[in-house]
């Protein structure tokens, strides 16, 4: 039996990485090398540059192992970071110390589900950048330590047919999960209740390939708050609520009835709120399904949750 403090069994499905500074440029043809994401020094700060995007790494994102009172939200350069943030072999050493057997890592510069490339003006270049990121995360990040990383890919969300092809390509290369938005309508994309079939190529291909959709809170490029002047602690406390909205959208979307094998993973949303959410969905369904037409093939929303949804915890009591 495992001791209470033995975490040698832990698989983390909510980790993060910083792409190597040459993740895109090392594979880019000369004709586009200065246009793909790359790192330059601006006023002494390592800055990712792509189209009109300028992004630096903030200290709040690289505080592993430091006491909370030492957190500095200012910019941090690669040379000042622990290599485990961007070097897969150094990350494996850190995982060994923490007792983490395997790790699924969300991207940094593309943002959680590739919003950076979805928002780009040049979609042909953006599509190349998506493919390159996926190759890098499969071949170079996960490939550096086979079996220790769960390769998570991003998609060209603006083109579902292209995205379906990318799922098939990456599944053949060893991808194990797909990053997706908690609320695509917030990104200006069709919602989870769209009836034009926009998302069908992605969801059907993911189900066929056996790749779950990993959904991180904040992947709608929005965070919950109560007012424009609310302090950051309000959004910090409310942040899991985004995934409560996401879970409810998915349960009542009808996709799980069409694609019973499709799984979604809710990352960094915790689990403490889930019993009430399921209780509420079951209550609403039982009282209103007759006149709304909502049906789950003889199941309740909570049954669909147990069949199709995977959740993760950090330290929920």
């Amino acid at each position: 039996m495992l001791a209470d403090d033995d975490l040698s069994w832990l698989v983390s499905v909510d980790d993060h990485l910083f792409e190597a500074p040459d993740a895109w440029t090392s594979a880019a043809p000369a004709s586009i090398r200065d246009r793909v994401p790359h790192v330059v020094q601006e006023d002494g700060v390592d800055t990712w540059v792509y189209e009109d995007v300028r992004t630096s790494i903030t200290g709040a994102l690289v505080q592993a192992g430091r006491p909370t009172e030492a957190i500095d939200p200012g910019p941090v350069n690669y040379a000042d970071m622990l290599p485990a943030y961007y070097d897969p072999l150094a990350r494996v050493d850190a995982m060994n110390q923490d007792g983490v057997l395997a790790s699924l890592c969300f991207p940094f510069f593309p943002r959680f589900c590739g919003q950076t490339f979805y928002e780009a003006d040049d979609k042909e270049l953006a599509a190349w950048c998506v493919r390159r990121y996926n190759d890098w995360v499969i071949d170079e990040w996960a490939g550096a330590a086979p079996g220790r990383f769960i390769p998570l890919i991003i998609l060209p969300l603006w083109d579902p047919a292209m995205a379906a092809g990318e799922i098939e390509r990456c599944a053949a290369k060893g991808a194990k999960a797909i990053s997706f938005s908690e609320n695509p309508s917030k990104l200006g994309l069709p919602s989870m209740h769209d009836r034009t079939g926009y998302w069908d190529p992605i969801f059907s291909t993911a189900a066929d390939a056996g790749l779950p959709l990993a959904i991180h809170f904040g992947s709608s490029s929005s965070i919950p708050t109560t007012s424009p002047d609310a302090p950051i602690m309000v959004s910090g406390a409310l942040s899991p609520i985004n995934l409560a909205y996401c879970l409810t959208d998915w349960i009542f979307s009808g996709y799980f009835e069409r694609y019973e094998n499709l799984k979604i993973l809710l990352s960094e949303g915790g689990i403490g709120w889930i019993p009430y959410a399921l209780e509420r969905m079951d209550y609403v369904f039982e009282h209103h399904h007759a006149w709304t037409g909502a049906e789950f093939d003889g199941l309740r929303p909570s049954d669909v949750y147990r069949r199709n949804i995977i959740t993760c915890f950090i330290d929920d009591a």
Side-chain angles (χ1 to χ4, degrees), residues 279-298:
E279 177 185 329
R280 178 65 182 173
M281 282 189 278
D282 281 351
Y283 176 89
V284 170
F285 173 73
E286 289 163 3
H287 283 76
H288 301 290
H289 74 95
W291 67 270
T292 62
E295 290 296 340
F296 298 101
D297 298 329

Side-chain angles (χ1 to χ4, degrees), residues 25-272:
T25 55
S26 62
S31 59
I32 62 170
R33 195 166 297 141
D34 62 345
R35 299 173 54 219
V36 302
H38 58 284
V39 176
V40 301
Q41 282 257 320
E42 292 186 346
D43 299 323
V45 175
D46 287 348
T47 304
W48 279 96
V49 175
Y50 170 69
E51 291 195 342
D52 60 354
V53 176
R54 298 292 186 275
T55 300
S56 59
I57 298 170
T58 63
L61 301 177
V62 291
Q63 293 296 330
R66 295 188 184 185
T68 55
E69 59 269 19
I71 292 178
D72 180 352
V76 176
N77 290 341
Y78 276 86
D80 301 320
M81 295 162 50
L82 294 173
Y85 286 111
Y86 58 85
D87 181 296
L89 294 181
R91 175 65 67 90
V92 168
D93 288 340
M95 290 164 59
N96 291 341
Q97 294 178 48
D98 288 343
V100 176
L101 287 179
S103 169
L104 179 147
C105 298
F106 286 88
F108 168 67
F109 183 74
R111 310 208 322 261
F112 290 128
C113 63
Q115 299 104 298
T116 297
F117 301 124
Y118 162 67
E119 294 168 359
D121 292 326
D122 186 336
K123 287 299 192 287
E124 183 177 356
L125 180 64
W128 185 92
C129 291
V130 167
R131 291 191 295 271
R132 171 54 190 164
Y133 175 82
N134 293 338
D135 287 342
W136 179 83
V137 82
I138 295 169
D139 298 333
E140 299 180 39
W141 180 263
R148 299 305 300 274
F149 295 104
I150 303 166
L152 173 72
I153 64 169
I154 59 176
L155 299 177
L157 296 171
W158 63 92
D159 188 330
M162 182 190 298
E166 184 65 1
I167 293 171
E168 292 175 340
R169 185 184 78 89
C170 292
K173 285 172 61 72
K176 297 299 181 185
I178 303 160
S179 190
F180 192 71
S181 175
E182 65 192 352
N183 189 343
S185 71
K186 293 278 190 179
L187 303 178
L189 289 159
S191 80
M192 290 302 301
H193 310 289
D194 172 72
R195 289 296 175 258
T196 68
Y198 184 90
W199 297 113
D200 285 349
I202 291 176
F203 298 159
S204 63
T205 306
D208 290 344
L211 269 58
L213 302 178
I215 300 174
H216 196 287
F217 87 81
S219 54
S220 61
S221 298
S222 64
I223 55 175
T225 190
T226 56
S227 63
D229 57 348
I232 192 170
M233 296 296 284
V234 172
S235 292
L238 291 175
S239 57
I241 297 300
N242 270 9
L243 290 187
Y245 293 154
C246 173
L247 172 61
T248 310
D249 259 348
W250 271 95
I251 291 293
F252 290 108
S253 69
Y255 287 114
F256 292 136
E257 285 64 68
R258 300 213 297 280
Y259 310 118
E260 288 189 9
N261 295 328
L262 183 62
K263 308 287 187 184
I264 69 165
L265 161 69
L266 303 180
S267 287
E268 205 168 320
I271 59 175

